[in-house]
Amino acid sequence: ARSTVTALPRSWIAARRRASFRMAELFRLATFRRELGVKLSPDHWLFALAATLASAPAGRVPIGRAGRSFQWHGLDAGTLYYWIDECRLGRFSADEITTVITAVERWRERNGFTLIRSDVLAELLSVTAEERWVCRISTIGAIDETRAERAARAEQERKERDRERIRTKRVGKHKPRATALTQTKPWEEEGISRATWYRRRPDGETTLSPVPLSSYGGATNLSHDRERGENTGKAA
């Protein structure tokens, strides 16, 4: 008899893709903070990792049209320990891992397979607009920039790109002129990020107080406390 293959719901595949994107962003954020010497809050990060792993069912996710795919393992003790080690959160006991997995599974029973809302996760991890820009984050919000302000800044950047594209088209060139903002990068001269520079422009005023970002190798004003306590739990 010919075997039948049950097709997975497209929403499940999309959920795994979104979860994998967020997990990559959490890893980049943890790496960036660690390089700056910023202490990570073990409990908050443990919950964020577990909730992301639990946001999609286990299974394979196709990549492109060449038949390639990757395996999404979902939430279990093994995958959680793996990402704890990747993000270097320290040691957790078996009881701590079991407790957070149980809490996340109860949350999933109420909410289904879904990611924590971007602004909620931003509050949990104290993510700033500068960090979003530096770490190329798109699925997590920011504590110092609302969704509307992010959309307005993105629109301003799009208009700037469109104006430059029109200028270069008029002169018959395919590369940006030397006067383009993407070439001059005025934000680097002021020692701030591109996101902050756009927010400070007269045509993109916001009610935010800019949070400057100094060179990556030194201290920053990322609204993080360097003296946060590290996890002291013993390994199982």
Side-chain angles (χ1 to χ4, degrees):
R2 182 178 299 176
S3 61
T4 58
V5 178
T6 303
L8 293 175
R10 293 182 64 86
S11 60
W12 284 22
I13 297 176
R16 293 187 191 121
R17 285 186 179 278
R18 291 193 297 270
S20 65
F21 292 156
R22 174 166 288 183
M23 190 61 75
E25 292 174 356
L26 288 172
F27 172 74
R28 289 197 295 269
L29 178 61
T31 301
F32 176 67
R33 288 185 177 179
R34 189 172 61 250
E35 289 175 351
L36 292 180
V38 177
K39 303 286 187 183
L40 304 183
S41 175
D43 294 337
H44 290 172
W45 275 83
L46 181 62
F47 183 83
L49 294 176
T52 303
L53 290 169
S55 66
R60 301 202 69 83
V61 182
I63 304 176
R65 299 181 180 180
R68 296 181 298 117
S69 64
F70 70 88
Q71 178 69 32
W72 177 258
H73 295 282
L75 175 63
D76 58 38
T79 55
L80 187 53
Y81 270 122
Y82 171 83
W83 283 105
I84 288 172
D85 183 63
E86 286 292 294
C87 295
R88 300 186 187 180
L89 297 184
R91 297 181 178 274
F92 291 87
S93 67
D95 288 341
E96 290 173 317
I97 295 297
T98 301
T99 298
V100 74
I101 289 178
T102 301
V104 169
E105 288 179 342
R106 288 176 180 172
W107 179 86
R108 184 177 60 187
E109 289 175 359
R110 297 191 302 269
N111 299 276
F113 287 108
T114 184
L115 289 171
I116 297 178
R117 288 191 296 117
S118 60
D119 290 335
V120 173
L121 187 57
E123 288 289 340
L124 181 67
L125 301 181
S126 300
V127 181
T128 66
E130 268 70 23
E131 287 177 319
R132 290 186 85 250
W133 179 73
V134 172
C135 300
R136 308 187 310 280
I137 292 174
S138 61
T139 71
I140 307 173
I143 59 175
D144 56 349
E145 187 178 48
T146 66
R147 184 186 296 271
E149 289 166 339
R150 290 196 298 271
R153 176 169 53 79
E155 179 65 13
Q156 178 65 26
E157 292 177 349
R158 184 191 66 79
K159 290 180 179 179
E160 188 68 39
R161 290 194 301 270
D162 289 345
R163 285 194 291 265
E164 180 58 29
R165 188 159 48 245
I166 292 173
R167 286 195 294 263
T168 56
K169 184 177 181 180
R170 285 174 178 172
V171 297
K173 295 182 179 179
H174 298 286
K175 60 182 180 180
R177 299 190 321 184
T179 55
L181 290 177
T182 54
Q183 294 291 324
T184 58
K185 298 181 180 181
W187 47 83
E188 293 185 354
E189 296 179 1
E190 299 181 26
I192 59 178
S193 75
R194 183 173 63 177
T196 296
W197 187 87
Y198 270 102
R199 289 204 304 275
R200 290 181 177 179
R201 297 187 67 183
D203 55 354
E205 290 183 352
T206 68
T207 58
L208 297 175
S209 297
V211 184
L213 178 67
S214 62
S215 61
Y216 298 166
T220 66
N221 294 322
L222 294 175
S223 301
H224 301 306
D225 183 1
R226 290 174 173 274
E227 301 302 324
R228 290 180 183 175
E230 293 182 320
N231 174 60
T232 57
K234 296 181 179 179

